Amino acid sequence: MLKKIIIKWLQKLSTPFLNNMAPRSTPKSPSSLIADCIGKWCFKDQNQVTRDLNISKDLAVTLDDYPLDVKIKQLDKTKLSLIDHYGFRLIIYFKNNIPYKFYDETENQVFDLLPN
């Protein structure tokens, strides 16, 4: 049920914002946007400690195997923006459909993501 709601929501996001402008490229389907998010990455925090970031196929997020209570704020071909239960943003940036940066608003830091 939740998966269907997320897919419908993502379909609304993938439509062009301005009807009178031709899209530069074919918009990505919601399922391919979700597929870009799924995976395991690591990054070094400000203390140079390696941290593990995992996103499952249902977009559940864990940090060092600790589940994060987050809601999707935005998902497009450039980023996945999440809000945690305190209201802080977590953003995963994409380059060529691959996550490469992670922003943590609580730390006000951007970290380089590496495949794990």
Side-chain angles (χ1 to χ4, degrees):
M1 177 75 172
L2 179 60
K3 185 176 178 180
K4 287 182 182 180
I5 292 170
I6 290 172
I7 289 174
K8 284 183 181 181
W9 182 75
L10 292 174
Q11 287 172 334
K12 289 180 182 179
L13 287 177
S14 67
T15 58
F17 291 105
L18 301 172
N19 291 333
N20 62 348
M21 292 182 63
R24 294 182 189 181
S25 62
T26 304
K28 292 187 75 167
S29 70
S31 59
S32 67
L33 288 172
I34 291 171
D36 292 342
C37 301
I38 298 168
K40 297 180 180 187
W41 297 274
C42 64
F43 64 93
K44 291 198 184 267
D45 67 12
Q46 64 273 18
N47 297 318
Q48 297 304 306
V49 174
T50 299
R51 310 287 302 270
D52 294 318
L53 177 70
N54 299 320
I55 302 176
S56 69
K57 63 182 174 184
D58 61 351
L59 296 181
V61 180
T62 61
L63 185 60
D64 296 332
D65 295 323
Y66 179 79
L68 300 180
D69 181 17
V70 295
K71 296 190 184 324
I72 298 171
K73 180 177 179 184
Q74 178 182 0
L75 175 59
D76 60 36
K77 66 180 184 176
T78 62
K79 67 182 171 187
L80 168 62
S81 181
L82 307 164
I83 302 291
D84 70 10
H85 65 283
Y86 295 111
F88 290 105
R89 291 180 300 159
L90 302 168
I91 303 173
I92 299 168
Y93 293 97
F94 300 98
K95 186 176 192 178
N96 299 325
N97 303 330
I98 299 170
Y100 80 109
K101 297 277 185 191
F102 173 67
Y103 170 71
D104 182 354
E105 188 174 30
T106 60
E107 302 290 331
N108 195 26
Q109 294 277 332
V110 177
F111 305 100
D112 294 326
L113 286 177
L114 301 169
N116 191 5

